[in-house]
Amino acid sequence: MPQEDPPSPPPKPPAQPRHGSDGAVVVERKTARTKPPQMFQVVLLNDDYTPMEFVVMVLQHYFRCDLETATLIMLKIHHEGRGVCGVFSKDVAATKVELVLAAARRAGHPLQCIMEAA
Ligand code: TYC
């Protein structure tokens, strides 16, 4: 399973008020910014053995594609070697990869599925 990143440090407390040359309190306001979470794309790789129908089923079942979209993505992978199935938070992407690989191995197919920073 992919390793988790260490937890990020807690946010710094707001800057302390300081005193100006005339003794007045100078308040420095810093806007608190929360970065959006890093997103990950789940990618299927082509191989010579996994049946096209199985890849279409995977795209429909695990990535909620309709039949037409699933078929287009499968053909793109078949012709170009790889294709993005969706973009998710880290945990969701990791779970999708695990579920797809487990389904492929159960069915006896060598299908490869990876996640990469989007
Ligand atoms: N290339 C496979 C075939 O000809 C089909 C295939 C498509 C396999 C996409 C994997 O991710 C894949 N049967």
Side-chain angles (χ1 to χ4, degrees):
M1 209 175 76
Q3 290 297 304
E4 290 293 322
D5 290 332
S8 46
K12 292 199 175 66
Q16 292 297 314
R18 61 184 175 79
H19 296 272
S21 53
D22 60 356
V25 173
V26 179
V27 178
E28 292 171 355
R29 190 182 297 279
K30 291 228 175 73
T31 310
R33 291 188 201 284
T34 311
K35 279 188 285 169
Q38 169 78 73
M39 299 298 276
F40 288 80
Q41 55 190 23
V42 175
V43 177
L44 278 177
L45 305 180
N46 189 36
D47 66 74
D48 291 338
Y49 304 102
T50 303
M52 291 183 173
E53 298 73 26
F54 184 81
V55 179
V56 170
M57 179 282 292
V58 162
L59 287 160
Q60 289 180 283
H61 187 81
Y62 295 103
F63 300 97
R64 299 170 168 272
C65 294
D66 61 29
L67 177 60
E68 192 187 346
T69 306
T71 304
L72 285 173
I73 295 174
M74 181 279 294
L75 286 173
K76 178 185 167 68
I77 302 166
H78 179 70
H79 291 297
E80 299 178 15
R82 52 178 274 150
V84 175
C85 309
V87 180
F88 309 96
S89 67
K90 190 176 193 179
D91 286 358
V92 172
T95 301
K96 301 247 181 222
V97 169
E98 274 185 25
L99 291 174
V100 169
L101 291 178
R105 298 305 168 262
R106 267 198 311 276
H109 303 313
L111 182 64
Q112 287 297 330
C113 184
I114 60 172
M115 60 189 271
E116 51 191 35

